[in-house]
Amino acid sequence: MIRWRWGTVVAARREWRGSLELDVTVEARRAEDPDSVRALAYPALVGTPRPGDRVLLNLNALALGLGTGGYALVVAIPDRLPEDADAPGHVVKARYTPLQAIVLAADEEASPLRAALAGTTDLGGMPVVVADLHSALPAVVAGALADRPEARVAYVMTDGGALPAWFSRTLDALRPLLAGTVTTGQAFGGDLESTNVHSGLLAARHGLHADLAIVTQGPGNLGTGTSWGFSGVAAGEAVNAVAALGGRPVAAPRISDADPRPRHRGVSHHSLTAFGRVALAPADLVMPADLAPALAAEVRAALATLSPPHTVVEVPSADLAAALAALPVKLSTMGRTLAQDEAYFLSAAAAGRHAAKLTADMSATS
């Protein structure tokens, strides 16, 4: 059920691509209701709220205390509805929900990319880095561009976390470094839209002309603390999709010596399940070659259980710390910064570096 509240916009705060942050007073219905909230509106869905507008809010994320999505969400501006948008697409996302949206898929008839994508079925060996968490994205980008700054890197966002790509301030800041973003499945708001990961990868390769791609879920990881109850399981399916399309899967395991939860220390059980049980196609399984000795031994032992079918590749990463620090975003995973969980970010960066090397190898042999 939705925790509905009326509110009044007091002021606009930050704005980034596709999103507008607001200060909103709340008409309380229960004693524990806040007097005011930080709210988020997606103007493409609901219009642009202005100070004084009465808005309909969804307070579920605040009630749950979600760290990633800790906003009230603007559902509508009832007294000032936006004009109808006559979009050419016919693909519906967030289907059969009150906020279902119509988008233009990259490969549908009305798309300018239809001719380029209609007959494509192959990635032509393009390397694709697959990671579990959205927080790995900037680190993979940094690793890929550190050695090949000219490489065209595309981001393929799955629908395991946030559905609107607009929610991610990280993605907004990374836009100058990316060839573009493709949102897949029920996710939306990318530069290109696709119906599934397979068509999204093809759109990245042949629509955005990417040299390599990165696949992660959007911000926010759904997990129940059980062996199989987490949205990152889809990372294993993404490896299969890359292989099915003739790409080169590069798996970026989630590695940490700072996570307080034993199931996520060393190699996270999420990675061991997604890449060890779900991914049926072989992938390059990347770890840093220069981890602290105790952590390195633990990681090697865990990854050895996944080889075969995967091939463990050790990649130097210590020198990538400078590239990570130079990113236009503040790195954070589960509330931990680069300094607090360096192994996690260096591991993701190492996967990006390996993928960039594969693109260079492809260029040399083509």
Side-chain angles (χ1 to χ4, degrees), residues 28-361:
R29 295 177 62 189
R30 302 174 64 170
E32 64 269 23
D33 282 351
D35 295 327
S36 62
V37 296
R38 187 179 58 158
L40 197 66
Y42 301 121
L45 294 183
V46 303
T48 303
R50 297 195 294 248
D53 280 338
R54 193 178 192 219
V55 291
L56 183 60
L57 300 172
N58 177 339
L59 261 59
N60 276 359
L62 290 176
L64 291 174
L66 297 181
T68 298
Y71 286 101
L73 292 173
V74 176
V75 180
I77 313 170
D79 301 324
R80 196 170 53 80
L81 297 176
E83 296 296 323
D84 294 342
D86 295 322
H90 77 275
V91 172
V92 181
K93 298 203 174 185
R95 290 186 284 275
Y96 304 107
T97 71
L99 283 179
Q100 64 182 9
I102 298 173
V103 301
L104 178 68
D107 56 357
E108 68 172 298
E109 290 83 352
S111 169
L113 294 174
R114 170 72 173 190
L117 297 178
T120 59
T121 60
D122 193 273
L123 296 176
M126 181 179 72
V128 180
V129 179
V130 179
D132 177 9
L133 300 178
H134 188 71
S135 58
L137 171 64
V140 178
V141 171
L145 297 181
D147 297 334
R148 289 207 70 199
E150 77 284 1
R152 289 182 61 82
V153 181
Y155 173 44
V156 178
M157 183 177 128
T158 66
D159 55 13
L163 297 185
W166 307 315
F167 181 74
S168 176
R169 294 196 299 274
T170 292
L171 183 55
D172 182 60
L174 290 175
R175 282 175 60 80
L177 303 180
L178 294 171
T181 296
V182 186
T183 35
T184 74
Q186 291 297 312
F188 55 90
D191 299 292
L192 299 178
E193 303 282 357
S194 70
T195 56
N196 54 53
V197 173
H198 297 73
S199 62
L201 288 166
L202 292 169
R205 178 61 164 168
H206 301 286
L208 297 175
H209 307 291
D211 299 311
L212 66 93
I214 303 166
V215 178
T216 75
Q217 60 187 323
N221 175 65
L222 178 61
T224 62
T226 62
S227 297
W228 286 94
F230 62 99
S231 52
V233 165
E237 300 289 5
V239 168
N240 296 335
V242 174
L245 294 172
R248 181 73 179 268
V250 176
R254 180 175 164 186
I255 295 170
S256 175
D257 58 358
D259 199 303
R261 297 163 296 180
R263 66 183 183 275
H264 292 303
R265 291 179 71 87
V267 179
S268 167
H269 81 99
H270 285 188
S271 294
L272 296 177
T273 299
F275 299 137
R277 301 285 301 279
V278 181
L280 303 179
D284 289 349
L285 198 60
V286 179
M287 65 170 283
D290 34 30
L291 292 172
L295 177 60
E298 185 178 357
V299 169
R300 288 191 186 102
L303 296 184
T305 66
L306 309 185
S307 177
H310 305 309
T311 300
V312 178
V313 181
E314 298 197 21
V315 175
S317 68
D319 63 315
L320 293 175
L324 292 173
L327 282 165
V329 299
K330 179 182 178 182
L331 295 175
S332 177
T333 184
M334 301 296 171
R336 298 186 298 275
T337 64
L338 171 60
Q340 294 168 330
D341 203 346
E342 190 176 54
Y344 170 80
F345 294 107
L346 286 176
S347 297
R353 166 172 273 176
H354 179 64
K357 180 180 183 299
L358 294 176
T359 67
D361 293 344

